[in-house]
Amino acid sequence: MRRLLLLALILIPIFSVAQEKDSTKKNIKVGLVLSGGGAKGYAHVGVLKVLEEAGVQIDYIGGTSMGAIIGGLYASGYNARQLDSILRVHDFSELTKDEVPREAYSFYQKENKGKYAITLPINKWKIELPKSISKGQNIFNLFSQLTEHVHQVEDFSKLPIPFYCIGTNLETGEEIVMDHGFLPQAIRASSSFPSVYSPVKIGGKVIVDGGLVNNYPIEILENKDIDYIIGVNVQGELRTSDQLNSAPDILMQIAGYQMYRGLDKKAAMTDLYLKPELSEYGEFSFDDVDEIIKAGEVVAREHLIEINKIASVQIGTSQVKIVDLDLIKDEKEIDIKEIEIQGNVNYKENYLLDKLNIKAGETVSHKKFIKGIEALSATDNFESIQYKFISKDDGVKVEIKLVENEVSTFIKFGAHYDDLYKTGILVNLTMKHPLFKNDFLSADFVIGDNLRYNLDYFMDNGSNLSYGVHAYFNTFDVNLFFGEDPDNSGLKVPSKYTDITTQFYLQTSFLKNSALSAGVEYKELKLYRGIVVDGVTGKQYFENSAYGNIFAKLIFDSYNSDYFPKKGFYFEANYRAYLIAFYSDYDFQSFSQLYGNAGYAFTFFDKLTFHLSGSIGATIGDNGKEIHNYILGGNNENFINTFDKFYGYDVADLSASSYIKSDFTVRYEIFKKNYVSFTSNFVEVDDNLWNDFDFFQNIKTGYALGYGMKTIIGPIEVKYSWRPTDKQNFWYFNLGYWF
């Protein structure tokens, strides 16, 4: 009956006079159903563009997965061209990675997070695989920002265009129709493809991608007061075995078994069924946004006659009110009247507010607010962080709902090779809140050519006073010069260097990216070589002492990346005083050391980076032995104590009680995450450097050419370095994260 009525309306003569034509119009209600299909869902925007141009008014929208995303945003008030811009600005494949800016991490994380290539949860003493590649927090942040203007709309029929989307109950496999609740959470749940995005908990139910049960949800529209249904299906077809070449391909094939069941029947229920030609693209073809949107336009224009006829028999073809894009800009101000946090069990509210860096009664930019959400997400303590803005007293109430990680114990792995420590396999055990709220325990064990360990216990109170314990054992083989430097052909002695240290410290963070820590430490230093006397193997010690020290450290770190930074500033100042010797093989006298390091990186055209840095070291008093000198040379990023790198010289080639060094690096990204570089460095190393203030007496220079890349296991670098004085050269190679 519905089709006969529509046919009669379309057959009314279109060349009637205007008054007659108006009298033939009926209030035809049009529903739109949008299928899921990952990146292929971008084609929905192309279809919407053509519908808008023709003047078709959409009265109800239903969607699944990417269809829920496009449909939900369109229903909230965006037009097709705005959606086009949103898709081009935001890279969904990058958002999937859950990456947050480096500045969001704590100082402990900045120093340690980059060591691990693999992290696995431990649940009830069993090692498990992660639930998903991504928690979906960045995706949710985007959806929440884009829908802030409808945060208070809980009944989706009250949106500018009524809307519903489909989810799958993970526990029962049943279909869930989401037509009320919190819009960004609903579309995030509908698009939670298993293993890619973590499930979403709503009302006690665990929900994943709706495409698993109903990827083309036309039946719901059939039960609405709709006269005509337009459907856009971007699903592909089941693939042959030779086309299944990756894990995502296989997962989509499995999901497709249900998706394609009954699709012919659903297509027959659709008045205008549009299926763009997308055989060249996959569910993860997010880089092909132009071509996929165009495919949607093409298929819609092929049916332009029918689309125009639909518009010609509608009353009130004006589209929904277009969202003011100024409302979603980073500079938009939020007047916070009240903050309510729910779901925190193991983390104190003052800790959470400190991470968020917001408080009731202040006005903040949207950018600052999101930075707070990123800082909270960067703690890795939460499965999800949901926020909602509720209008209140000429401002907003911020509701934040947290879902803490069910698992609080993790095992992590890393691997590395470099010229000093050689091969190392890193195994880490991390426990969140083992004793109190906000604290954690981390234990690193390195198995390889040089056994090492690194233990940390830290009570993280944010900008409030925090405290921690740090203990480590470090050892490596090194060839040291005694008496002369390499330019004067001194004697190089193969030796074993060992450091066992335990520290107790207090720390506070202040301003942005800044921290100050101070404490006491117990340090054992040993330096020896193996000798054979009368057929008996023994050790000749150059240092065998234990010290009681105090130390302090001030640091500012705004680098955007641990490795190959493109922008940012770094400053570090260290003070250590050797106060007492618990035992010593020489006449110990107390002394202290100052060390400073600063760097600045800036980039042109997002490719060419200039990185300037410098460091200084000074000793106050008589350090007693050469092992306490500043020791330079090599390429390592994980030196300890007074060791520092310097290109053109091997590890520990240069040594003195004070030094001043400068480095200048030019680095170019030849293609994504691949870099070539040239470095020149200069150093003055002298025992009387700060007494004579003569910094140009004996400057040593070195140069390096390098190639490096970022990989899933960390940076891979090879460098060739040389010095001009005697044409000595060295090759440096490292693989994986430094630890």
Side-chain angles (χ1 to χ4, degrees):
M1 184 65 182
R2 187 182 70 191
R3 293 178 183 273
L4 291 175
L5 173 62
L6 184 65
L7 181 61
L9 290 169
I10 291 176
L11 292 177
I12 293 173
I14 61 174
F15 296 108
S16 301
V17 296
Q19 185 176 3
E20 292 175 337
K21 184 169 63 175
D22 289 341
S23 67
T24 67
K25 286 193 174 183
K26 303 295 182 182
N27 190 18
I28 301 300
K29 291 188 177 181
V30 175
L32 178 66
V33 59
L34 305 175
S35 82
K40 293 187 291 185
Y42 287 177
H44 295 320
V45 175
V47 172
L48 287 169
K49 283 184 178 181
V50 177
L51 294 178
E52 285 184 1
E53 290 173 8
V56 174
Q57 177 174 307
I58 305 301
D59 299 289
Y60 222 116
I61 301 178
T64 297
S65 198
M66 184 59 80
I69 295 172
I70 302 298
L73 294 177
Y74 195 74
S76 76
Y78 291 94
N79 65 21
R81 295 196 177 278
Q82 289 175 320
L83 293 178
D84 184 299
S85 298
I86 289 170
L87 294 182
R88 295 177 193 278
V89 169
H90 300 283
D91 186 338
F92 276 69
S93 60
E94 288 296 317
L95 290 172
T96 299
K97 297 177 182 178
D98 269 341
E99 293 182 353
V100 297
R102 186 170 179 269
E103 65 181 4
Y105 291 107
S106 68
F107 278 96
Y108 175 83
Q109 288 175 306
K110 287 179 180 179
E111 293 179 349
N112 294 277
K113 187 177 178 65
K115 297 189 296 187
Y116 313 114
I118 299 174
T119 299
L120 300 175
I122 299 178
N123 189 10
K124 298 179 181 179
W125 303 106
K126 294 181 180 180
I127 299 176
E128 299 179 343
L129 293 175
K131 291 181 179 179
S132 60
I133 296 172
S134 169
K135 294 187 298 183
Q137 186 63 49
N138 287 345
I139 291 286
F140 172 81
N141 290 346
L142 174 62
F143 294 162
S144 189
Q145 180 181 8
L146 293 173
T147 60
E148 283 177 13
H149 57 291
V150 292
H151 270 195
Q152 292 180 252
V153 179
E154 296 185 354
D155 182 350
F156 297 167
S157 69
K158 304 300 183 184
L159 291 169
I161 299 176
F163 170 75
Y164 67 86
C165 60
I166 304 299
T168 302
N169 188 321
L170 182 61
E171 295 177 319
T172 66
E174 295 177 338
E175 175 181 325
I176 297 176
V177 179
M178 294 178 283
D179 55 9
H180 63 280
F182 187 41
L183 181 61
Q185 186 184 40
I187 59 179
R188 159 73 176 85
S190 181
S191 57
S192 296
F193 189 79
S195 79
V196 177
Y197 294 113
S198 61
V200 176
K201 297 178 181 178
I202 302 178
K205 298 178 181 179
V206 181
I207 302 175
V208 294
D209 197 301
L212 299 176
V213 291
N214 192 349
N215 201 43
Y216 187 78
I218 191 174
E219 305 90 341
I220 294 91
L221 273 183
E222 283 279 311
N223 298 322
K224 305 295 181 182
D225 184 20
I226 296 298
D227 300 301
Y228 194 88
I229 297 177
I230 300 173
V232 187
N233 179 18
V234 298
Q235 296 176 204
E237 297 178 352
L238 292 175
R239 303 179 183 184
T240 60
S241 59
D242 61 326
Q243 295 174 314
L244 301 173
N245 300 315
S246 67
D249 289 340
I250 295 173
L251 288 171
M252 291 306 301
Q253 180 85 341
I254 295 171
Y257 299 154
Q258 176 67 25
M259 290 181 185
Y260 302 120
R261 189 173 297 146
L263 187 57
D264 292 341
K265 181 181 178 181
K266 293 184 177 186
M269 296 166 60
T270 311
D271 297 298
L272 178 57
Y273 183 73
L274 303 176
K275 192 169 188 351
E277 172 51 51
L278 298 167
S279 59
E280 297 181 24
Y281 309 104
E283 288 75 8
F284 300 93
S285 300
F286 293 104
D287 292 334
D288 299 313
V289 57
D290 291 329
E291 296 82 359
I292 296 176
I293 290 177
K294 185 65 176 178
E297 291 186 55
V298 168
V299 72
R301 295 194 189 283
E302 290 174 354
H303 296 80
L304 195 55
I305 293 176
E306 297 137 283
I307 291 172
N308 284 331
K309 287 178 180 178
I310 296 168
S312 71
V313 293
Q314 280 189 297
I315 295 175
T317 57
S318 61
Q319 292 300 307
V320 297
K321 182 181 182 298
I322 298 173
V323 176
D324 182 358
L325 294 183
D326 287 338
L327 296 177
I328 61 172
K329 287 185 176 179
D330 288 341
E331 294 77 19
K332 172 193 171 184
E333 291 191 339
I334 305 171
D335 188 9
I336 300 175
K337 298 299 182 182
E338 183 181 346
I339 302 171
E340 179 181 322
I341 299 178
Q342 304 172 14
N344 56 307
V345 177
N346 294 296
Y347 302 95
K348 299 176 183 178
E349 185 167 314
N350 60 351
Y351 164 82
L352 301 173
L353 290 173
D354 185 78
K355 292 293 182 182
L356 289 166
N357 194 26
I358 61 173
K359 58 185 179 181
E362 71 174 352
T363 300
V364 301
S365 68
H366 191 278
K367 183 177 182 179
K368 180 181 178 181
F369 179 83
I370 291 298
K371 284 184 178 297
I373 296 295
E374 290 173 339
L376 204 56
S377 178
T379 63
D380 293 328
N381 294 329
F382 307 98
E383 287 186 15
S384 69
I385 304 167
Q386 178 184 302
Y387 63 89
K388 180 189 294 187
F389 297 139
I390 306 297
S391 296
K392 179 179 181 178
D393 302 330
D394 297 324
V396 297
K397 173 186 176 182
V398 181
E399 292 184 355
I400 298 176
K401 294 183 179 180
L402 305 172
V403 178
E404 294 184 2
N405 288 332
E406 295 178 354
V407 177
S408 59
T409 304
F410 302 87
I411 187 168
K412 306 177 183 181
F413 301 93
H416 187 79
Y417 175 85
D418 64 72
D419 302 295
L420 180 64
Y421 290 95
K422 307 301 181 184
T423 302
I425 303 297
L426 172 64
V427 181
N428 168 271
L429 181 68
T430 295
M431 300 177 66
K432 301 288 186 75
H433 45 81
L435 300 178
F436 308 102
K437 294 181 178 182
N438 303 0
D439 68 346
F440 68 86
L441 176 67
S442 174
D444 285 339
F445 300 95
V446 180
I447 305 168
D449 292 292
N450 290 279
L451 297 177
R452 291 172 279 158
Y453 69 73
N454 191 69
L455 305 177
D456 278 289
Y457 173 80
F458 189 62
M459 171 62 74
D460 187 357
N461 293 320
S463 61
N464 298 313
L465 194 63
S466 304
Y467 57 87
V469 180
H470 177 51
Y472 64 85
F473 168 77
N474 199 319
T475 184
F476 51 85
D477 295 312
V478 62
N479 296 323
L480 290 174
F481 279 98
F482 287 90
E484 301 286 349
D485 65 34
D487 292 336
N488 294 320
S489 302
L491 177 63
K492 208 168 190 179
V493 180
S495 307
K496 172 72 77 172
Y497 183 93
T498 299
D499 180 354
I500 304 174
T501 296
T502 301
Q503 299 176 332
F504 300 87
Y505 64 95
L506 301 175
Q507 178 177 298
T508 182
S509 299
F510 60 97
L511 299 176
K512 183 181 178 180
N513 299 315
S514 302
L516 174 64
S517 58
V520 297
E521 71 176 12
Y522 171 83
K523 181 182 288 289
E524 291 185 18
L525 289 178
K526 300 180 186 296
L527 179 68
Y528 62 87
R529 68 171 178 170
I531 58 173
V532 178
V533 179
D534 297 330
V536 179
T537 301
K539 297 177 181 178
Q540 179 186 2
Y541 281 94
F542 305 110
E543 166 71 76
N544 185 15
S545 304
Y547 304 97
N549 307 331
I550 60 172
F551 67 93
K553 181 178 181 179
L554 172 65
I555 186 170
F556 178 93
D557 184 357
S558 66
Y559 279 158
N560 70 317
S561 175
D562 294 345
Y563 307 101
F564 315 117
K566 288 189 173 183
K567 63 179 180 179
F569 178 73
Y570 182 89
F571 173 78
E572 177 185 352
N574 283 277
Y575 172 77
R576 175 177 278 106
Y578 287 76
L579 298 181
I580 60 173
F582 294 103
Y583 63 84
S584 177
D585 58 356
Y586 68 103
D587 184 16
F588 170 78
Q589 296 181 16
S590 62
F591 66 96
S592 58
Q593 292 182 312
L594 290 168
Y595 168 80
N597 180 28
Y600 177 61
F602 56 96
T603 299
F604 297 98
F605 316 114
D606 199 39
K607 295 288 185 181
L608 181 63
T609 300
F610 293 91
H611 192 180
L612 294 82
S613 61
S615 57
I616 60 173
T619 301
I620 303 172
D622 183 4
N623 61 27
K625 283 195 172 185
E626 292 184 355
I627 188 58
H628 296 295
N629 282 348
Y630 291 96
I631 302 171
L632 284 78
N635 178 53
N636 281 58
E637 298 288 346
N638 55 350
F639 278 136
I640 60 172
N641 297 330
T642 53
F643 284 77
D644 199 357
K645 69 179 180 180
F646 189 76
Y647 295 120
Y649 290 78
D650 202 359
V651 175
D653 273 359
L654 302 174
S655 173
S657 62
S658 58
Y659 81 102
I660 182 169
K661 183 186 72 156
S662 63
D663 305 78
F664 178 67
T665 297
V666 179
R667 186 168 53 246
Y668 186 79
E669 188 173 12
I670 53 176
F671 44 92
K672 190 173 183 179
K673 297 183 179 180
N674 285 256
Y675 308 86
V676 292
S677 64
F678 171 76
T679 299
S680 58
N681 51 194
F682 311 90
V683 69
E684 178 84 9
V685 184
D686 196 299
D687 289 330
N688 296 310
L689 182 64
W690 301 106
N691 294 327
D692 301 335
F693 291 99
D694 188 351
F695 303 131
F696 306 101
Q697 187 74 18
N698 188 24
I699 293 178
K700 302 183 186 299
T701 61
Y703 305 94
L705 286 172
Y707 179 85
M709 66 179 73
K710 292 181 180 178
T711 72
I712 192 171
I713 62 170
I716 299 175
E717 290 183 284
V718 58
K719 290 185 178 180
Y720 171 75
S721 73
W722 70 96
R723 60 178 182 255
T725 54
D726 55 7
K727 298 182 180 180
Q728 282 281 343
N729 59 81
F730 303 91
W731 284 94
Y732 305 122
F733 178 76
N734 68 271
L735 169 68
Y737 296 110
W738 290 96
F739 52 75

